[in-house]
Amino acid sequence: MNTNILKNTTELAKALCERYIDEDSIAVDGTCGNGNDTLWLAGKCKKVYAFDIQKAATDATSEVLMQAGFENVKVINDTHEKIAEYVAEPVNLFMFNLGYLPGGDKHITTDSAATLQALDAALEILKVDGLICVIMYWGHPQGTEERKAVLAWAAGLDKGKYHCIHTDMINQPNCPPEILLVTCKR
Ligand SMILES: C[S@@+](CC[C@H](N)C(=O)[O-])C[C@H]1O[C@@H](n2cnc3c(N)ncnc32)[C@H](O)[C@@H]1O
């Protein structure tokens, strides 16, 4: 395999996330959508919690997991703002793939207020040396606003406790997706 991870934001995000998980890890997919990221996490972690507000998304994710024979995922048809109500253990990796469900209703997208609340909840249960990975699609108005809010949130985090990195494909046109990574240092 010769995957050039710098050509594809999702592959780049996964390559970075992979460093933070192993077969004993707990992961949360905050936006499971069609289940692609959840399926990937299920194959690498001990346990995965997968959230989505759309029933069509959680049904699709459950189906994909069943087909692949994974039983280590709790699929939750609820908003990621309520992470604390469902996840009562320290987490190695959170993934938030923002935006709308590919192939679904483009009007149902992640929104800034809920995303920031979910990110705050994630910080509360993120392990030391754990990772929050946010993939931001900002080529639509709500995504632009959300990206601004998420980056402002990260920029305001305690520099002694968290380390934040933001990727930007600077020579690519049309608002290419960006990644925000937050790790807990202590
Ligand atoms: C870009 S898609 C995720 C793609 C997915 N990771 C995959 O692998 O197919 C974004 C998803 O976020 C979901 N979403 C929007 N607001 C949400 C919320 N408050 N809580 C949980 N999921 C939400 C949407 O329903 C949509 O399915």
Side-chain angles (χ1 to χ4, degrees):
M1 189 181 67
N2 179 18
T3 306
N4 184 348
I5 57 170
L6 296 186
K7 290 200 303 195
N8 181 307
T9 309
T10 307
E11 291 306 321
L12 175 59
K14 282 182 182 167
L16 295 165
C17 287
E18 203 163 16
R19 299 287 298 258
Y20 288 79
I21 47 175
D22 60 26
E23 66 280 0
D24 294 321
S25 295
I26 307 298
V28 173
D29 184 349
T31 55
C32 64
N34 291 320
N36 302 306
D37 298 328
T38 303
L39 181 66
W40 180 75
L41 291 168
K44 298 197 173 286
C45 298
K46 182 170 83 179
K47 184 163 183 194
V48 182
Y49 297 85
F51 289 82
D52 205 292
I53 43 166
Q54 294 192 65
K55 181 85 168 49
T58 48
D59 284 351
T61 297
S62 298
E63 177 65 23
V64 161
L65 293 166
M66 194 191 70
Q67 294 288 345
F70 286 113
E71 294 180 348
N72 57 341
V73 182
K74 189 168 164 62
V75 180
I76 301 155
N77 181 212
D78 205 344
T79 174
H80 45 219
E81 293 157 275
K82 296 194 198 163
I83 281 172
E85 288 182 25
Y86 295 94
V87 187
E89 56 188 330
V91 173
N92 299 82
L93 172 67
F94 286 89
M95 285 185 88
F96 291 92
N97 206 327
L98 303 181
Y100 49 81
L101 180 65
D105 182 346
K106 292 190 177 178
H107 296 100
I108 307 175
T109 116
T110 50
D111 79 274
S112 308
T115 301
L116 294 189
Q117 198 167 328
L119 289 171
D120 278 334
L123 285 187
E124 293 297 317
I125 49 173
L126 181 66
K127 279 188 179 175
V128 171
D129 287 330
L131 186 74
I132 300 175
C133 175
V134 187
I135 305 181
M136 300 176 287
Y137 299 89
W138 56 289
H140 57 109
Q142 196 154 347
T144 304
E145 188 209 310
E146 189 176 32
R147 168 185 178 270
K148 195 171 160 198
V150 167
L151 291 180
W153 170 85
L157 292 178
D158 178 349
K159 67 177 177 2
K161 189 164 180 195
Y162 303 103
H163 206 89
C164 303
I165 293 174
H166 168 211
T167 71
D168 183 0
M169 296 181 174
I170 53 177
N171 73 335
Q172 295 299 309
N174 305 323
C175 311
E178 298 178 358
I179 305 170
L180 171 72
L181 300 165
V182 178
T183 189
C184 180
K185 301 198 288 188
R186 64 173 166 81

